[in-house]
Amino acid sequence: YVPLSHMYSIYDWRTDMDAAEMRDVILDIDDKVSENNGWHPSMIVAGGCAMILNGWSSRRNTDDIDVLDCDRDLNDVLSEFPQVNCNVNAYGDQIPYNYEDRLREMPIDTSAVSVLTPSLEDLVVMKLYAWRGKDVDDLTSDGTLSCVDWDLLDYLVTSDNEARASVLSDMTYQTLLYRYLDYADMYRR
């Protein structure tokens, strides 16, 4: 067995991973951390990886594993995996302010690393901000539309304590609000 992390160098790493490859990378990270007995760090996975592994996206591939946050010491391990993007915290103003209150376990059986994800509704807010083609695909997939809690999503977008509290500019928030109202009008069931 050769861990996935040893199969790809930074120069030959493929830029589209399917669900099995994403799981393998996360399990390789877990194996690396397991070498340090008693250490149980956590990481928060967002983006396409979180959407795909939770069954909320109809997409089959994503470019990378977006880590929104992790224990500080885990950064050294994650830096060994070119498939992992640890620069997602730059988008911290595009996730509802209290997202940590809604974190959930990812459906991956790890032994050392706690792999968490924001709620679907928090991820939907991030996707509404980003609004790229792949984000719209995620937003309109059957997996998202059948699982989203529209009342919670409405609260996250419109409450002064959530998306509005974390955004840096009122114009950016107004764009989110416009996209959300259009999205809800078209897809709310």
Side-chain angles (χ1 to χ4, degrees):
Y1 168 75
V2 178
L4 186 64
S5 60
H6 294 102
M7 291 173 50
Y8 301 112
S9 75
I10 194 163
Y11 302 105
D12 64 3
W13 167 58
R14 292 183 317 124
T15 59
D16 63 335
M17 292 181 290
D18 64 21
E21 291 168 315
M22 288 179 260
R23 274 190 193 87
D24 286 346
V25 170
I26 291 170
L27 291 173
D28 285 349
I29 293 166
D30 189 61
D31 287 345
K32 184 91 173 163
V33 169
S34 294
E35 296 170 4
N36 296 320
N37 292 335
W39 185 35
H40 296 285
S42 63
M43 67 181 191
I44 302 170
V45 175
C49 177
M51 297 292 290
I52 293 167
L53 291 180
N54 280 297
W56 298 325
S57 176
S58 58
R59 289 189 299 139
R60 299 194 185 285
N61 298 309
T62 190
D63 296 335
D64 55 15
I65 297 171
D66 292 323
V67 175
L68 184 61
D69 196 12
C70 67
D71 291 354
R72 172 178 252 155
D73 293 337
L74 187 57
N75 275 322
D76 292 337
V77 174
L78 296 178
S79 69
E80 298 176 27
F81 294 86
Q83 308 92 328
V84 176
N85 174 12
C86 289
N87 294 321
V88 181
N89 60 358
Y91 301 102
D93 70 324
Q94 296 183 359
I95 187 165
Y97 188 74
N98 296 304
Y99 78 92
E100 293 101 342
D101 296 343
R102 294 174 294 278
L103 290 174
R104 51 177 277 165
E105 290 282 334
M106 288 281 289
I108 300 174
D109 190 22
T110 56
S111 60
V113 178
S114 176
V115 184
L116 307 168
T117 184
S119 71
L120 171 59
E121 294 75 20
D122 289 306
L123 293 169
V124 166
V125 170
M126 292 182 80
K127 298 281 182 182
L128 286 165
Y129 272 120
W131 203 249
R132 299 164 297 189
K134 61 187 175 182
D135 300 306
V136 174
D137 289 345
D138 288 342
L139 290 167
T140 59
S141 73
D142 288 338
T144 296
L145 295 173
S146 65
C147 294
V148 71
D149 177 338
W150 287 97
D151 292 332
L152 176 57
L153 182 57
D154 188 66
Y155 171 77
L156 296 179
V157 171
T158 61
S159 168
D160 288 340
N161 299 320
E162 292 292 349
R164 187 171 206 131
S166 62
V167 73
L168 298 177
S169 110
D170 191 56
M171 187 167 104
T172 302
Y173 174 75
Q174 293 302 322
T175 301
L176 166 73
L177 186 58
Y178 172 79
R179 288 175 183 160
Y180 169 68
L181 293 172
D182 190 43
Y183 173 67
D185 186 52
M186 290 180 66
Y187 295 102
R188 191 170 192 159
R189 297 177 179 167

